[in-house]
Amino acid sequence: MCGIAGVVAWDDSYRAGRQTLEAMSAAMAHRGPDGRGIHLSDDEGVHVALAHRRLAIIDPDPRADQPLSDSAGRVIVFNGEIYNFQDLRRQLDQARASPSWRTHSDTEVLLAAYGHWGRRCVERLNGMFAFAIWDRRDRTLFLARDRMGQKPLYYAIKRLDGGEVAAIAFASEIAPLRRIGWIDSILDLRQLTHYLRLGYTAADSSIYSGIAKLPPAHRMLIGERHVEGPERYFDPNAAESPARADDRAVRDRVIAAVRGQLVADVPVGCFLSGGIDSSIVAAAMRASVGADQQVLTFSIGFDDPRYDETAYAAEVARHLGTTHRQFMVRPDAAADLPRLAAVYGEPFADSSALPTHYLSRQTRQFVKVALSGDGGDELFGGYDRYRAMQWSGRIPRWLRSALAHAPWRWLPGTHPKSRLARLKRMLKTLDAPPETRYAGYLSIFDSAQLEALMDSPAPFADPVAAAFLDAVARGGDEVAAAMAADRVSYLPEDLLTKVDRASMLHGLEVRSPFMDHELVRFAAMIPSSQLLAGGGKAPLRRAFAPILPRSVFTRKKMGFAVPIGRWFQTDLRAFLRETLGAADSFASGHFRRPAIERLIDEHETGVADHSQRLYALLMLELWHRWDRGPAWDMAT
């Protein structure tokens, strides 16, 4: 688990010297506090500069430090964990394709796997990863990213007038790439619209026109005269024919995924909220270790009871016999949000990044690795919006139209967690096509709101609606299509992005067993009717009911959040107004001032809950402040 960065230049004009490489490394120091390394070489006219920051989890011996090279002239920088590396090492030994092993690390196994299987090595990996391998023999750079998008990888390519590749730069985060002078850092207006609609930029892009993301489950090969890819090597929605999952099969699959992710040479803990997903991961962890081994669990709480789950977490911890620590946090959002804006490197609008930041900061005092329950909702049908799609799909079209045009706006209730607020969100899009209806559930600013905010929003190609329609074309029903859309959009671009940056800011590795690709494929085969029977996550409920308290499955879902809406009316009221209203603000140059004032006024007076929209605008503003510098190092 680390941070990686580098520049490969086929044209000498774009080479990166030691000073630049060290600056790139320093910009991601938080990702790897245990060590750093660089590689500089000129391989037959190609300049190679690679940087690595290490968080030592597997084989902490200095011999496993990176960049790591082999006898054939390949050099690797690798971020992540390969959970099945011991099995791959045995396969390489049997094929007589292994080197004289110098380490006990997964990094050396990964480098040998590429040497033996080439670019198809990624199809054999079970883990979360982003890595780059320079191959001196054919003068190419190979980049790859894990199947579900747990580990990030940004890149920028510089081409000459004839189309030849002059250079490529890559990094785990955007900040290191901002040290490269030739990278185009102009705002991409299409991605600004994308961000305002969904709260994050597209899977293959960033807020900067010259910086792209390698999407999840993609690989690419870059040479001087060719770029192969990005090429997709895994589809989380390509399931076999639907099959009913019995309780034992579900329990065994989940426990196997958790057990596989316990590989480490340092203590491993577990986030525990007391909800279904984290409780199941903790229970599976308890079942995977010896009775005499500790299971370490961690939770945080707040003073608002609507967001505090510590009592539920403590109950599960007692039931499982874990060594449990809970932290009561007094948030200082005005101080913490600028630091989060910096570590994301582009605007990011999920306010649950704040509690993830707090929990990671406290947990890191005790362990370097923690398991989480992220992904359980997307795999097993845990969100209310899936049930809304199921319910709305059963309503006759004439009635949907009547309900959609009823005066639902006058229903009481503005708090986002209230049932009436959720009902209003559903009614608002009830008459729309199903793909538009579902995309509307995830939208922050809709088209009308964007038109009120901006003079001419850039065209928006909604990835949620596109993935929804793709799933329907494959034969999925509306609920299955909604879950399929989440697995390729909301899950990697929001949830997993949130967890990676907020945890790695504190040098904490977070593993998500529900993202095990075999478990993902298994869950995709379960019919949505079976998943949603009895209120959602039916297979998980039945499989783990015998080993968890009944309250885990009967209490209302809370979600992992903070009362950001209330803070905008109280503690953060002045901060929000001053930040958005500054004369040199991003908003002053791109948005209509009356529209922003209206959002703030309606929220403060309780006329409407605009917490998501205001948070999105605030994080856009804080990113803009970071982008203008010189505060590039606020994340380190």
Side-chain angles (χ1 to χ4, degrees):
M1 181 56 56
C2 311
I4 64 174
V7 176
V8 175
W10 289 266
D11 186 306
D12 215 39
S13 303
Y14 302 99
R15 61 188 293 135
R18 179 177 291 273
Q19 185 176 359
T20 299
L21 191 60
E22 291 284 10
M24 296 176 74
S25 176
M28 57 180 186
H30 51 279
R31 296 189 70 92
D34 295 336
R36 62 179 182 175
I38 64 171
H39 169 91
L40 285 166
S41 66
D42 284 285
D43 294 331
E44 297 181 7
V46 184
H47 177 72
V48 181
L50 306 175
H52 186 264
R53 286 280 180 165
R54 187 177 189 198
L55 179 63
I57 303 297
I58 294 176
D59 190 7
D61 191 284
R63 290 176 300 180
D65 288 350
Q66 300 179 46
L68 190 70
S69 60
D70 65 12
S71 59
R74 303 182 191 93
V75 188
I76 186 172
V77 283
F78 161 50
N79 168 31
E81 305 290 358
I82 308 302
Y83 305 124
N84 65 331
F85 79 99
Q86 295 283 21
D87 181 53
L88 293 175
R89 180 166 170 155
R90 285 189 291 269
Q91 293 178 38
L92 291 165
D93 285 339
Q94 292 169 1
R96 297 185 178 181
S98 59
S100 297
W101 299 109
R102 295 170 289 157
T103 76
H104 299 285
S105 70
D106 53 346
T107 306
E108 188 179 17
V109 172
L110 177 53
L111 186 57
Y114 181 74
H116 183 56
W117 291 301
R119 69 187 75 180
R120 298 201 65 178
C121 70
V122 294
E123 298 166 28
R124 297 173 177 264
L125 306 180
N126 184 325
M128 54 179 183
F129 54 83
F131 64 87
I133 296 177
W134 167 250
D135 193 333
R136 185 178 61 187
R137 298 174 309 169
D138 55 14
R139 294 154 57 94
T140 59
L141 182 74
F142 180 68
L143 300 177
R145 192 170 171 212
D146 67 68
R147 293 173 177 84
M148 299 305 295
Q150 295 180 80
K151 294 294 103 184
L153 190 57
Y154 293 88
Y155 70 95
I157 295 178
K158 181 67 176 181
R159 294 182 183 270
L160 300 177
D161 292 340
E164 300 92 344
V165 176
I168 180 171
F170 65 88
S172 296
E173 295 180 2
I174 281 181
L177 296 180
R178 298 289 281 119
R179 270 62 172 182
I180 306 297
W182 54 261
I183 293 178
D184 184 356
S185 58
I186 296 173
L187 174 73
D188 187 334
L189 292 176
R190 294 170 302 173
Q191 294 309 311
L192 175 61
T193 299
H194 196 290
Y195 167 74
L196 292 170
R197 290 297 297 262
L198 294 175
Y200 50 83
T201 56
D204 61 353
S205 304
S206 81
I207 199 67
Y208 300 101
S209 58
I211 298 177
K213 291 194 287 279
L214 186 65
H218 279 69
R219 57 193 169 196
M220 64 188 300
L221 189 74
I222 305 97
E224 182 177 12
R225 301 189 182 280
H226 65 286
V227 175
E228 298 179 26
E231 173 195 25
R232 190 174 192 170
Y233 65 89
F234 175 81
D235 182 354
N237 296 323
E240 299 175 5
S241 56
R244 183 175 182 83
D246 63 76
D247 301 349
R248 180 63 178 270
V250 172
R251 185 165 59 249
D252 288 350
R253 292 270 186 165
V254 173
I255 291 176
V258 171
R259 183 181 296 118
Q261 296 193 17
L262 294 178
V263 55
D265 293 322
V266 297
V268 178
C270 181
F271 291 162
L272 179 60
S273 69
I276 293 176
D277 299 331
S278 67
S279 298
I280 284 174
V281 171
M285 189 174 176
R286 174 80 278 173
S288 299
V289 303
D292 58 339
Q293 288 185 262
Q294 279 189 329
V295 172
L296 308 175
T297 53
F298 304 90
S299 66
I300 59 167
F302 304 98
D303 59 359
D304 189 327
R306 291 175 297 185
Y307 296 86
D308 184 19
E309 298 182 280
T310 52
Y312 304 113
E315 180 186 5
V316 174
R318 286 193 299 270
H319 183 86
L320 296 176
T322 72
T323 301
H324 185 64
R325 291 181 174 87
Q326 67 181 42
F327 315 104
M328 296 304 295
V329 177
R330 289 188 174 274
D332 185 4
D336 294 322
L337 287 175
R339 196 175 185 208
L340 281 176
V343 81
Y344 284 93
E346 57 179 336
F348 183 73
D350 189 338
S351 61
S352 64
L354 264 172
T356 306
H357 152 64
Y358 295 133
L359 179 56
S360 298
R361 182 182 65 190
Q362 300 302 114
T363 300
R364 183 60 176 86
Q365 299 176 42
F366 301 95
V367 294
K368 284 186 178 182
V369 182
L371 304 187
S372 82
D374 294 297
D377 287 311
E378 290 78 9
L379 264 63
F380 290 95
Y383 290 129
D384 286 345
R385 58 181 181 258
Y386 299 150
R387 291 186 287 280
M389 290 300 295
Q390 183 186 56
W391 182 78
S392 59
R394 294 171 176 171
I395 302 175
R397 183 166 183 80
W398 66 268
L399 182 56
R400 289 208 305 268
S401 180
L403 290 171
H405 292 89
W408 50 263
R409 293 177 181 83
W410 304 110
L411 287 173
T414 60
H415 191 277
K417 286 184 175 290
S418 72
R419 290 184 178 179
L420 280 175
R422 294 179 182 185
L423 177 62
K424 286 194 288 186
R425 282 197 297 272
M426 186 186 71
L427 291 175
K428 181 180 179 180
T429 57
L430 198 57
D431 197 32
E435 69 276 8
T436 305
R437 190 187 324 145
Y438 189 67
Y441 295 162
L442 296 170
S443 180
I444 298 176
F445 287 89
D446 60 26
S447 297
Q449 290 164 337
L450 275 184
E451 291 287 347
L453 184 68
M454 306 171 68
D455 287 333
S456 52
F460 173 61
D462 195 327
V464 176
F468 187 101
L469 289 172
D470 178 67
V472 170
R474 298 187 192 192
D477 58 37
E478 292 182 6
V479 175
M483 295 172 61
D486 278 351
R487 285 193 288 266
V488 296
S489 56
Y490 176 74
L491 177 59
E493 307 312 321
D494 188 311
L495 290 191
L496 298 180
T497 296
K498 171 196 70 179
V499 171
D500 174 80
R501 308 306 190 280
S503 60
M504 290 305 293
L505 176 60
H506 304 287
L508 177 73
E509 172 178 311
V510 174
R511 302 175 177 179
S512 304
F514 282 112
M515 294 296 92
D516 177 276
H517 68 276
E518 294 180 355
L519 180 57
V520 170
R521 279 270 175 87
F522 171 77
M525 292 190 295
I526 304 175
S528 60
S529 58
Q530 183 183 352
L531 292 173
L532 268 58
K537 294 186 183 177
L540 284 181
R541 292 170 183 269
R542 291 195 308 269
F544 285 90
I547 57 177
L548 282 170
R550 184 172 179 272
S551 60
V552 170
F553 306 102
T554 57
R555 75 179 180 91
K556 181 181 176 182
K557 181 180 178 67
M558 293 179 67
F560 194 48
V562 290
I564 194 71
R566 179 167 62 84
W567 292 351
F568 284 151
Q569 296 169 325
T570 55
D571 297 12
L572 292 179
R573 180 179 180 179
F575 178 67
L576 177 69
R577 283 192 173 273
E578 290 168 4
T579 304
L580 295 182
D584 60 346
S585 67
F586 183 92
S588 66
H590 294 82
F591 304 138
R592 295 190 181 103
R593 174 60 53 190
I596 293 179
E597 291 291 343
R598 184 167 57 254
L599 289 174
I600 295 175
D601 290 342
E602 289 182 354
H603 185 81
E604 287 182 354
T605 58
V607 172
D609 185 280
H610 293 306
S611 53
Q612 273 193 302
R613 285 175 279 279
L614 292 174
Y615 186 83
L617 292 173
L618 177 61
M619 294 309 290
L620 178 62
E621 203 64 59
L622 294 176
W623 161 78
H624 178 60
R625 289 185 177 183
W626 169 83
D627 174 68
R628 288 183 302 172
W632 278 352
D633 295 319
M634 69 170 68
T636 64

